Amino acid sequence: MKQIYTAKFLISGNAPPLEDGALLVHAGMIAGIGSRKDITRNHPGIEVVDFSDALIVPLLINAHTHLELTDFPLWVAKADEDSPPGDFVDWILRLIRVKQKLTEKQYRDSLRHGIDQSIAAGTGAVGDILSQHGLRNIYQNCSLPGLLFLETLGQDPAFICRLRAGLNDALDDEIVGKLELGISPHSPYTISLDYLQSLYRQCRTRKIRCTTHVAESAHEVDFVKRGQGPLASRLYSYIGWENYTPEPSGLRPVEYLYQQGGLFPENLLVHGVQLNADEITLLAKNQMSLALCPRSNATLNVGKAPVAQLYKAGVILALGTDSLASCDSLSIWDEMAFAHHWFEGQLDAPTLFSMATQGGAQALGIKNEVGSLEIGKNAGFQILRPKTTVASEDIFDYFVSPACASDIIQVYHQGRPQLSGVTC
């Protein structure tokens, strides 16, 4: 069945806002886009859904998130872990303590809540990290597309051997629901050199997409380069890895990943807070994408990513919410609004919107399916009704305002409305 959706403005994501715009949808795909007058004249007799004074906008892309941790605030309260962590390593230790007490049902419920909250927030695709690989089937009947990265880490060779077997079994599924399976080698400070190298070889040989946290904190830089600092003295001692503390590499995290074969376009890097000019040049040279999580970085007090230099160098930038263990919502609208303030004008509103749409889609390797409203792409879009009048020239400024998240009145995936009751 064909339907036409009209509104005061249609924002395609790859062209200026179109006043009195219309979208033609057929079989879950975008079949036409243009003015209301042209679309309705060229397709007579088709039902028109008119949103009058609202905006038709592409769904946003959450390029980095941990939806299995959505219920973390509830877990923290029950675990009597309310006191805020003092630094990045304190936060990691609290996360470990809380997770050690969880049941599979708690993880399962939390992931479902994360999916529902993401869809309600106008998310059209995710790059989700899953440590509990057995829960991947929750995505089987979900409308969210994207990448589901199976997380892995470890230093003990015997433990890694068991991990690798389970990971490879899970990867045999290849696709779960509308998500392609990938690998997430957690970070340079949580995974052995040999295991990291083998994972990157596997991804490049089998064309499996992957994602890696890198350069998130000064503690990480100290640990990777010198083999010392709080990650060595506190994290490794807490989890029983004292005998596996790696030798100093003499390299900063991005250089270290490069040496292990980890700088290739299909490896989406995350955070990139602690980057210098040489590393930025190296990322750009290797056509890398980077998912920024400014709200998480602010919460954990690890610093600000050098966005102006990254953007100027041509590194593909996307946005992610990280998790509710370090953020207060799963809304990329909220992330955009915060980023606009946090980066102090280094990125303008249209650039931030592009990062949240086309940038995220490119970073996840799904730009031909989502990220903009174009003929042949998925009919994924959201309807926003601003509480005050928004002129054409003010639309992108509105997009980075705190108002957007609460102005969503409907979300469509594959041409189907989602907010009347999301079931995954």
Side-chain angles (χ1 to χ4, degrees):
M1 182 178 70
K2 292 182 179 180
Q3 280 189 309
I4 295 172
Y5 298 87
T6 62
K8 181 178 180 180
F9 289 108
L10 187 151
I11 297 85
S12 66
N14 64 346
L18 176 62
E19 190 164 5
D20 206 23
L23 198 64
L24 175 66
V25 173
H26 177 58
M29 307 293 286
I30 297 174
I33 185 169
S35 70
R36 180 198 307 253
K37 179 180 178 182
D38 289 344
I39 293 292
T40 54
R41 181 185 64 224
N42 294 334
H43 302 276
I46 294 177
E47 178 188 4
V48 176
V49 180
D50 181 24
F51 287 103
S52 61
D53 57 345
L55 285 66
I56 298 175
V57 185
L59 294 175
L60 306 185
I61 313 300
N62 192 345
H64 177 75
T65 189
H66 300 254
L67 297 185
E68 68 185 6
L69 298 179
T70 298
D71 286 349
F72 187 82
L74 299 176
W75 301 336
V76 165
K78 290 181 179 179
D80 195 24
E81 292 272 1
D82 287 336
S83 54
D87 63 13
F88 181 63
V89 176
D90 280 343
W91 176 82
I92 295 174
L93 295 177
R94 184 177 73 162
L95 180 65
I96 292 170
R97 289 194 301 269
V98 170
K99 290 179 68 173
Q100 285 172 339
K101 301 173 182 177
L102 299 178
T103 64
E104 180 181 316
K105 182 180 186 305
Q106 286 175 297
Y107 271 116
R108 185 175 294 275
D109 290 345
S110 183
L111 178 53
R112 287 194 175 111
H113 296 157
I115 291 170
D116 289 354
Q117 289 179 34
S118 297
I119 292 173
T123 302
V126 294
D128 188 23
I129 312 295
L130 189 67
S131 68
Q132 306 297 308
H133 301 173
L135 301 186
R136 63 190 182 278
N137 64 328
I138 290 176
Y139 273 107
Q140 193 62 55
N141 298 311
C142 180
S143 65
L144 271 177
L147 274 291
L148 184 59
F149 297 105
L150 305 178
E151 185 176 83
T152 189
L153 52 83
Q155 294 284 357
D156 178 354
F159 181 66
I160 288 172
C161 186
R162 294 193 296 273
L163 283 177
R164 191 194 302 271
L167 176 65
N168 289 334
D169 286 346
L171 287 170
D172 286 342
D173 288 348
E174 295 187 356
I175 295 174
V176 177
K178 293 179 170 59
L179 286 89
E180 178 184 344
L181 291 184
I183 299 175
S184 175
H186 179 263
S187 71
Y189 62 88
T190 55
I191 192 164
S192 74
L193 182 149
D194 290 343
Y195 191 30
L196 187 61
Q197 289 178 340
S198 70
L199 288 169
Y200 286 148
R201 281 197 303 270
Q202 179 180 8
C203 288
R204 298 178 82 150
T205 301
R206 294 181 54 186
K207 301 188 185 305
I208 299 171
R209 299 192 76 89
C210 64
T211 188
T212 311
H213 302 78
V214 68
E216 184 176 4
S217 71
H219 293 328
E220 177 187 331
V221 176
D222 198 27
F223 180 83
V224 173
K225 190 171 185 177
R226 302 179 183 87
Q228 61 187 30
L231 286 170
S233 63
R234 291 163 54 202
L235 175 63
Y236 269 52
S237 63
Y238 182 81
I239 59 180
W241 285 5
E242 301 97 325
N243 296 330
Y244 299 104
T245 303
E247 293 295 320
S249 70
L251 302 172
R252 290 172 58 83
V254 166
E255 299 170 309
Y256 179 80
L257 287 194
Y258 179 62
Q259 189 178 80
Q260 314 321 322
L263 294 194
F264 53 100
E266 292 76 23
N267 182 19
L268 169 60
L269 303 182
V270 182
H271 294 303
V273 174
Q274 306 291 331
L275 296 175
N276 63 28
D278 289 340
E279 290 171 303
I280 292 171
T281 299
L282 188 60
L283 294 181
K285 181 180 178 181
N286 287 275
Q287 301 177 306
M288 301 303 293
S289 298
L290 177 65
L292 303 176
C293 305
R295 286 188 296 163
S296 176
N297 300 154
T299 297
L300 302 180
N301 196 28
V302 294
K304 295 182 184 182
V307 292
Q309 299 92 319
L310 287 161
Y311 182 73
K312 183 178 180 181
V315 177
I316 299 161
L317 298 177
L319 288 174
T321 63
D322 215 339
S323 77
L324 295 197
S326 61
C327 206
D328 58 7
S329 81
L330 296 174
S331 168
I332 291 293
W333 288 114
D334 289 341
E335 202 71 42
M336 269 198 291
F338 182 87
H340 190 247
H341 166 74
W342 177 247
F343 292 127
E344 302 171 308
Q346 295 182 64
L347 298 173
D348 63 18
T351 299
L352 283 165
F353 182 72
S354 180
M355 287 166 54
T357 51
Q358 296 184 87
Q362 186 171 358
L364 293 175
I366 52 176
K367 65 179 182 179
N368 293 330
E369 305 167 31
V370 297
S372 60
L373 302 180
E374 300 179 61
I375 294 174
K377 287 191 175 184
N378 290 348
F381 55 98
Q382 55 190 310
I383 310 299
L384 274 64
R385 178 164 286 136
K387 296 178 180 63
T388 58
T389 302
V390 177
S392 175
E393 62 271 20
D394 298 328
I395 284 176
F396 289 102
D397 288 333
Y398 163 68
F399 284 164
V400 296
S401 74
C404 281
S406 61
D407 287 347
I408 299 171
I409 62 172
Q410 188 52 274
V411 171
Y412 289 85
H413 283 208
Q414 292 83 48
R416 296 177 180 174
Q418 301 294 308
L419 298 192
S420 58
V422 180
T423 302
C424 290

